[in-house]
Amino acid sequence: MAQCQTLLDETAPMRLSRFHLHTTKETPADAEIVSHRLMLRAGMLRKLAAGLYTWSPLGLRVLRKVERIVREEMDRAGAIEVSMPTIQPRELWEETGRWQKFGGQLLKIKDRKDAEYCYAPTAEEVITDFARSELSSYKQLPVNFYQVQTKFRDEIRPRFGVMRAREFLMKDAYSFHLTDADLVREYQNMHAAYTRIFTRLGLKFRAVQADSGAIGGDASQEFHVLADSGEDAIAFSTGSDYAANVEAAQAAAPDARPAAGEAMRKVDTPTQKTCEDVAALLGIALQRTVKSIAVMTGDAASGQQFVLALVRGDHAVNEIKLAKVAGLADYRLASEAEILEHLGSEPGFLGPVSTRKPVRVIADREVAAMADFVVGANEAGLHIAGVNWGRDLPEPDVVADIRNVVEGDRAQDGGELRLARGIEVGHVFQLGRKYAEAMRATVLDENGKATVMSMGCYGIGVSRIVAAAIEQNHDDAGILWPEPMAPWRVAVCVINPKNDAAVAAAAESLYAELNAAGHETVLDDRGLRAGAMFADIELIGIPHRVVVSERGLAAGTFEYRARGAGESENLDRAALLKKLART
């Protein structure tokens, strides 16, 4: 038995001489962001084709650590693991109407019998089909099923490594409920579970209010890892834990509209077509100008409507918010011909005063609260100053929040809004009955009546978390893993192990002792020169490095250095163990 244990230890992958570690110094030409570059240089990934990657043994160690924490917290939250097929039949997607609506990201395939399938980009249809066949009574509810599974979305331009790959690893969960109130309870339970997951992973993150997007549903929140390279802009308040994607973020309502103080008048703006240029010419603050965006809704068959959306000159229209205004779900920008027909003007001088035809006016809340503002005159080279609602033009047809928030906006909680960049790594939805109704997923309630179940959906990008963690934690030397995600916690580096038996034996002894003490330790016994060995350990992001050398052995010390620290320390065995125990 002792001999068998020795053989197992010698062949274990905790020794880099027996482990596949292939690092490179060169930065790949096609790697655009830090995480992609470092994952390739560290040998965590190897590209197979566009958006398709092989995870190396090193990369897989990190990926599995993320999976483990995700599974532990999902189990702790009461979810039950299942495994669904990655190949899904067309018929299920036809039931929900998404076979065509999902778009080009849906990879469609046929089998030898010409039956049509898709490679799973998500699993709402499959889990709802499972639920309608397995669940028949309210007594079986609530229930939450989850899986950790490969997904495929045929991105037009896969990029950024696993950040936006076509094939990726995802944890998706789906809950089923008799009542909406119970759905809200599970939604909050999953929110708490996600908070524990990202906290345990050692990530700086924010949970933000979000738009439900293509998945649909009644409410949703995204979890973002904060990083300067993040694709998404998020807003958060200094006064509370409020945070939201800019697509959904709201500032506090404006103060009451002041009284009119100026007479309306036309002003010459011969070449000034932007609010910035007009404000500069007139010597006024940009906040006193109003931007007019002309859009069309409807179609030739059902009838079209010309709409002017108004935002303050220093603000930008939020397309998602505007589309949520009644009647604007299908809006598009008006053509120059349509603008000329309704306003009698060319773009750059548009406004809601003196239009050629009646137009529907939708004003942002800030605009509706303005007085003595400047708008286009619907005449080339002219604007109108001193414009006031009720006196110079009718009150807006609709007043709504249709703008992007900006840094420094007053938050609804009284604080100020700040903007940051984030990488979305998780999303929770209250789906409601959208999919259950489409697929007739019902259970019998207490009165024996068939009731459509309410659903929740909860996703985590497992492989994306790995890249997001690197975007948040790196330096010029390489990756700085949060300890829960590091491939190993401690690296014992041996100087000249082949030619110094005493050093090799001391390193073996320390390596065994650290592992026995619960410190996940790798032994770098490859015999590399110190510089090359240290560069590898820093590149792959091991949090703690301990060097065993002839000089240290003579002094009774080990050279210890925390990843990212500026200096090394020489510690005796007791001091080293104490430091590792408390860090």
Side-chain angles (χ1 to χ4, degrees), residues 261-306:
E262 298 179 8
M264 186 173 73
R265 62 201 182 278
K266 288 186 178 180
V267 291
D268 289 326
T269 54
T271 60
Q272 288 73 24
K273 294 186 176 183
T274 68
C275 288
E276 290 81 0
D277 289 343
V278 170
L281 177 69
L282 300 181
I284 62 174
L286 183 59
Q287 292 89 333
R288 291 186 56 192
T289 65
V290 170
K291 191 183 304 180
S292 301
I293 297 91
V295 302
M296 297 292 294
T297 63
D299 53 37
S302 61
Q304 295 182 315
Q305 186 177 41
F306 186 89

Side-chain angles (χ1 to χ4, degrees), residues 269-457:
T269 54
T271 60
Q272 288 73 24
K273 294 186 176 183
T274 68
C275 288
E276 290 81 0
D277 289 343
V278 170
L281 177 69
L282 300 181
I284 62 174
L286 183 59
Q287 292 89 333
R288 291 186 56 192
T289 65
V290 170
K291 191 183 304 180
S292 301
I293 297 91
V295 302
M296 297 292 294
T297 63
D299 53 37
S302 61
Q304 295 182 315
Q305 186 177 41
F306 186 89
V307 178
L308 272 186
L310 308 181
V311 294
R312 213 168 68 185
D314 59 329
H315 291 159
V317 168
N318 182 309
E319 295 179 0
I320 291 177
K321 289 181 181 179
L322 184 59
K324 290 184 177 181
V325 174
L328 266 72
D330 61 346
Y331 83 87
R332 60 172 174 81
L333 292 177
S335 67
E336 289 195 19
E338 290 166 335
I339 291 172
L340 184 62
E341 176 187 352
H342 289 84
L343 302 181
S345 176
E346 63 181 89
F349 303 97
L350 309 184
V353 181
S354 302
T355 61
R356 180 175 289 181
K357 288 185 175 182
V359 300
R360 185 185 183 202
V361 175
I362 298 172
D364 181 68
R365 295 184 304 174
E366 296 284 345
V367 173
M370 292 174 68
D372 301 328
F373 51 91
V374 178
V375 297
N378 293 322
E379 295 182 52
L382 292 172
H383 278 72
I384 304 176
V387 178
N388 285 273
W389 296 107
R391 186 192 72 180
D392 307 316
L393 75 169
E395 294 291 339
D397 296 295
V398 176
V399 176
D401 174 21
I402 61 170
R403 71 174 177 94
N404 285 332
V405 297
V406 295
E407 184 91 14
D409 272 340
R410 192 176 68 216
Q412 294 176 336
D413 56 26
E416 283 193 355
L417 290 181
R418 297 284 184 263
L419 300 183
R421 306 299 301 181
I423 300 167
E424 183 189 344
V425 291
H427 209 154
V428 291
F429 299 90
Q430 292 181 37
L431 289 177
R433 293 174 172 78
K434 175 180 177 179
Y435 294 93
E437 283 181 348
M439 299 183 69
R440 297 182 294 281
T442 64
V443 294
L444 298 180
D445 65 13
E446 293 174 318
N447 300 315
K449 180 182 177 182
T451 302
V452 176
M453 290 180 282
S454 188
M455 290 176 59
C457 171

Side-chain angles (χ1 to χ4, degrees), residues 99 127 135 187 215 245 292 422-423 459 491:
W99 184 255
I127 195 65
L135 306 176
Y187 179 86
I215 298 295
N245 191 299
S292 301
I423 300 167

Side-chain angles (χ1 to χ4, degrees), residues 61-272:
R61 287 186 68 87
V62 178
L63 190 66
R64 292 291 182 249
K65 289 193 170 189
V66 177
E67 281 188 67
R68 178 178 58 80
I69 289 175
V70 169
R71 279 193 168 92
E72 287 175 358
E73 292 300 336
M74 291 300 294
D75 293 343
R76 175 182 171 187
I80 306 167
E81 187 168 7
V82 297
S83 179
M84 292 176 273
T86 57
I87 304 300
Q88 303 177 355
R90 171 177 178 164
E91 289 76 16
L92 290 183
W93 284 72
E94 292 281 13
E95 287 188 57
T96 61
R98 293 207 298 174
W99 184 255
Q100 298 299 333
K101 288 181 181 178
F102 204 88
Q105 287 189 338
L106 191 65
L107 179 64
K108 299 175 181 179
I109 55 179
K110 291 184 179 182
D111 66 10
R112 66 180 65 197
K113 298 180 180 178
D114 275 343
E116 292 187 90
Y117 298 84
C118 66
Y119 195 115
T122 184
E124 284 80 18
E125 282 80 3
V126 174
I127 195 65
T128 306
D129 178 67
F130 177 78
R132 68 183 174 184
S133 64
E134 294 289 316
L135 306 176
S136 58
S137 168
Y138 74 95
K139 295 180 181 180
Q140 296 170 278
L141 304 180
V143 65
N144 188 338
F145 300 113
Y146 82 94
Q147 65 173 350
V148 180
Q149 184 206 59
T150 298
K151 299 288 193 297
F152 187 95
R153 295 180 185 176
D154 199 4
E155 296 275 357
I156 295 176
R157 182 174 169 250
R159 60 196 188 278
F160 307 152
V162 296
M163 191 75 76
R164 192 168 291 281
R166 293 195 293 169
E167 185 180 72
F168 53 94
L169 189 66
M170 180 179 179
K171 188 283 300 175
D172 47 334
Y174 303 89
S175 62
F176 295 85
H177 309 270
L178 188 66
T179 67
D180 291 338
D182 195 58
L183 167 60
V184 171
R185 178 202 60 77
E186 184 62 12
Y187 179 86
Q188 293 168 344
N189 179 40
M190 285 292 99
H191 186 285
Y194 277 33
T195 299
R196 292 194 301 270
I197 287 169
F198 298 122
T199 299
R200 284 186 60 188
L201 288 170
L203 299 171
K204 299 181 185 71
F205 69 95
R206 284 269 187 174
V208 305
Q209 296 179 14
D211 183 77
S212 296
I215 298 295
D218 302 321
S220 70
Q221 282 182 290
E222 296 172 353
F223 286 78
H224 285 257
V225 169
L226 302 181
D228 292 339
S229 59
E231 288 187 283
D232 298 309
I234 62 174
F236 62 93
S237 173
T238 60
S240 70
D241 61 356
Y242 171 80
N245 191 299
V246 290
E247 296 170 348
Q250 289 190 343
D255 296 330
R257 182 194 300 167
E262 298 179 8
M264 186 173 73
R265 62 201 182 278
K266 288 186 178 180
V267 291
D268 289 326
T269 54
T271 60
Q272 288 73 24

Side-chain angles (χ1 to χ4, degrees), residues 503-561:
V503 168
E508 291 279 355
S509 173
L510 179 63
Y511 161 70
E513 185 173 1
L514 291 176
N515 275 311
H519 304 294
E520 188 180 27
T521 305
V522 63
L523 181 65
D524 194 344
D525 57 346
R526 293 175 294 168
L528 299 181
R529 292 182 178 180
M533 177 166 50
F534 297 164
D536 273 356
I537 298 303
E538 287 190 318
L539 174 61
I540 67 176
I542 308 303
H544 307 278
R545 185 186 78 197
V546 182
V547 180
V548 184
S549 66
E550 182 181 5
R551 180 183 301 176
L553 201 59
T557 61
F558 302 100
E559 181 185 293
Y560 166 79
R561 187 170 183 174

